[in-house]
mmCIF file of all heavy atoms in Angstrom:
data_model
loop_
_atom_site.group_PDB
_atom_site.id
_atom_site.type_symbol
_atom_site.label_atom_id
_atom_site.label_comp_id
_atom_site.label_asym_id
_atom_site.label_seq_id
_atom_site.Cartn_x
_atom_site.Cartn_y
_atom_site.Cartn_z
ATOM 1 N N GLY R 54 47.085 192.307 85.195
ATOM 2 C CA GLY R 54 47.914 192.964 84.164
ATOM 3 C C GLY R 54 48.848 191.976 83.491
ATOM 4 O O GLY R 54 48.966 191.971 82.248
ATOM 5 N N VAL R 55 49.536 191.136 84.255
ATOM 6 C CA VAL R 55 50.437 190.178 83.681
ATOM 7 C C VAL R 55 49.715 189.177 82.836
ATOM 8 O O VAL R 55 50.141 188.790 81.761
ATOM 9 C CB VAL R 55 51.276 189.486 84.805
ATOM 10 C CG1 VAL R 55 52.086 188.334 84.257
ATOM 11 C CG2 VAL R 55 52.207 190.483 85.498
ATOM 12 N N TYR R 56 48.523 188.721 83.320
ATOM 13 C CA TYR R 56 47.768 187.747 82.573
ATOM 14 C C TYR R 56 47.301 188.319 81.219
ATOM 15 O O TYR R 56 47.342 187.638 80.172
ATOM 16 C CB TYR R 56 46.526 187.261 83.382
ATOM 17 C CG TYR R 56 45.702 186.255 82.639
ATOM 18 C CD1 TYR R 56 46.216 185.010 82.359
ATOM 19 C CD2 TYR R 56 44.462 186.576 82.174
ATOM 20 C CE1 TYR R 56 45.451 184.060 81.645
ATOM 21 C CE2 TYR R 56 43.667 185.644 81.473
ATOM 22 C CZ TYR R 56 44.226 184.373 81.189
ATOM 23 O OH TYR R 56 43.477 183.488 80.503
ATOM 24 N N ALA R 57 46.920 189.600 81.234
ATOM 25 C CA ALA R 57 46.474 190.212 79.952
ATOM 26 C C ALA R 57 47.628 190.232 78.945
ATOM 27 O O ALA R 57 47.463 189.901 77.759
ATOM 28 C CB ALA R 57 45.989 191.641 80.219
ATOM 29 N N ARG R 58 48.813 190.620 79.433
ATOM 30 C CA ARG R 58 49.993 190.652 78.526
ATOM 31 C C ARG R 58 50.388 189.250 78.042
ATOM 32 O O ARG R 58 50.656 189.006 76.849
ATOM 33 C CB ARG R 58 51.177 191.353 79.191
ATOM 34 C CG ARG R 58 50.989 192.861 79.310
ATOM 35 C CD ARG R 58 52.298 193.548 79.768
ATOM 36 N NE ARG R 58 52.725 193.151 81.086
ATOM 37 C CZ ARG R 58 52.265 193.655 82.238
ATOM 38 N NH1 ARG R 58 51.335 194.576 82.211
ATOM 39 N NH2 ARG R 58 52.739 193.226 83.401
ATOM 40 N N GLN R 59 50.394 188.311 78.985
ATOM 41 C CA GLN R 59 50.807 186.925 78.613
ATOM 42 C C GLN R 59 49.757 186.266 77.691
ATOM 43 O O GLN R 59 50.127 185.516 76.799
ATOM 44 C CB GLN R 59 51.021 186.071 79.854
ATOM 45 C CG GLN R 59 52.229 186.527 80.690
ATOM 46 C CD GLN R 59 53.523 186.350 79.936
ATOM 47 O OE1 GLN R 59 53.774 185.329 79.307
ATOM 48 N NE2 GLN R 59 54.357 187.396 79.969
ATOM 49 N N SER R 60 48.494 186.550 77.914
ATOM 50 C CA SER R 60 47.412 186.012 77.083
ATOM 51 C C SER R 60 47.547 186.537 75.643
ATOM 52 O O SER R 60 47.388 185.777 74.676
ATOM 53 C CB SER R 60 46.072 186.331 77.642
ATOM 54 O OG SER R 60 45.825 185.666 78.799
ATOM 55 N N GLU R 61 47.850 187.822 75.542
ATOM 56 C CA GLU R 61 48.027 188.418 74.194
ATOM 57 C C GLU R 61 49.224 187.791 73.519
ATOM 58 O O GLU R 61 49.148 187.481 72.308
ATOM 59 C CB GLU R 61 48.206 189.939 74.333
ATOM 60 C CG GLU R 61 48.383 190.644 73.011
ATOM 61 C CD GLU R 61 47.189 190.478 72.092
ATOM 62 O OE1 GLU R 61 46.056 190.336 72.572
ATOM 63 O OE2 GLU R 61 47.428 190.517 70.848
ATOM 64 N N LEU R 62 50.313 187.610 74.233
ATOM 65 C CA LEU R 62 51.528 186.972 73.663
ATOM 66 C C LEU R 62 51.182 185.574 73.247
ATOM 67 O O LEU R 62 51.624 185.098 72.175
ATOM 68 C CB LEU R 62 52.663 186.962 74.705
ATOM 69 C CG LEU R 62 53.924 186.293 74.290
ATOM 70 C CD1 LEU R 62 54.574 187.019 73.102
ATOM 71 C CD2 LEU R 62 54.924 186.243 75.456
ATOM 72 N N ALA R 63 50.404 184.809 74.045
ATOM 73 C CA ALA R 63 50.021 183.434 73.695
ATOM 74 C C ALA R 63 49.201 183.441 72.419
ATOM 75 O O ALA R 63 49.398 182.578 71.551
ATOM 76 C CB ALA R 63 49.264 182.775 74.859
ATOM 77 N N ARG R 64 48.229 184.339 72.325
ATOM 78 C CA ARG R 64 47.425 184.403 71.092
ATOM 79 C C ARG R 64 48.272 184.697 69.854
ATOM 80 O O ARG R 64 48.101 184.101 68.788
ATOM 81 C CB ARG R 64 46.303 185.446 71.239
ATOM 82 C CG ARG R 64 45.164 184.979 72.059
ATOM 83 C CD ARG R 64 43.977 185.931 72.001
ATOM 84 N NE ARG R 64 44.218 187.215 72.634
ATOM 85 C CZ ARG R 64 44.114 187.464 73.922
ATOM 86 N NH1 ARG R 64 43.763 186.500 74.754
ATOM 87 N NH2 ARG R 64 44.401 188.672 74.416
ATOM 88 N N GLU R 65 49.225 185.660 70.003
ATOM 89 C CA GLU R 65 50.079 185.987 68.868
ATOM 90 C C GLU R 65 50.931 184.793 68.459
ATOM 91 O O GLU R 65 51.076 184.512 67.289
ATOM 92 C CB GLU R 65 51.013 187.169 69.247
ATOM 93 C CG GLU R 65 50.308 188.505 69.372
ATOM 94 C CD GLU R 65 51.223 189.573 69.940
ATOM 95 O OE1 GLU R 65 52.456 189.300 70.116
ATOM 96 O OE2 GLU R 65 50.711 190.697 70.173
ATOM 97 N N GLN R 66 51.518 184.128 69.449
ATOM 98 C CA GLN R 66 52.351 182.980 69.135
ATOM 99 C C GLN R 66 51.539 181.832 68.512
ATOM 100 O O GLN R 66 52.004 181.173 67.596
ATOM 101 C CB GLN R 66 53.087 182.473 70.388
ATOM 102 C CG GLN R 66 54.176 183.403 70.858
ATOM 103 C CD GLN R 66 54.914 182.876 72.087
ATOM 104 O OE1 GLN R 66 54.523 181.817 72.664
ATOM 105 N NE2 GLN R 66 56.004 183.548 72.465
#
Side-chain angles (χ1 to χ4, degrees):
V55 171
Y56 180 67
R58 286 190 297 277
Q59 293 296 314
S60 293
E61 181 60 30
L62 178 63
R64 282 190 293 277
E65 288 172 6
Q66 288 182 354

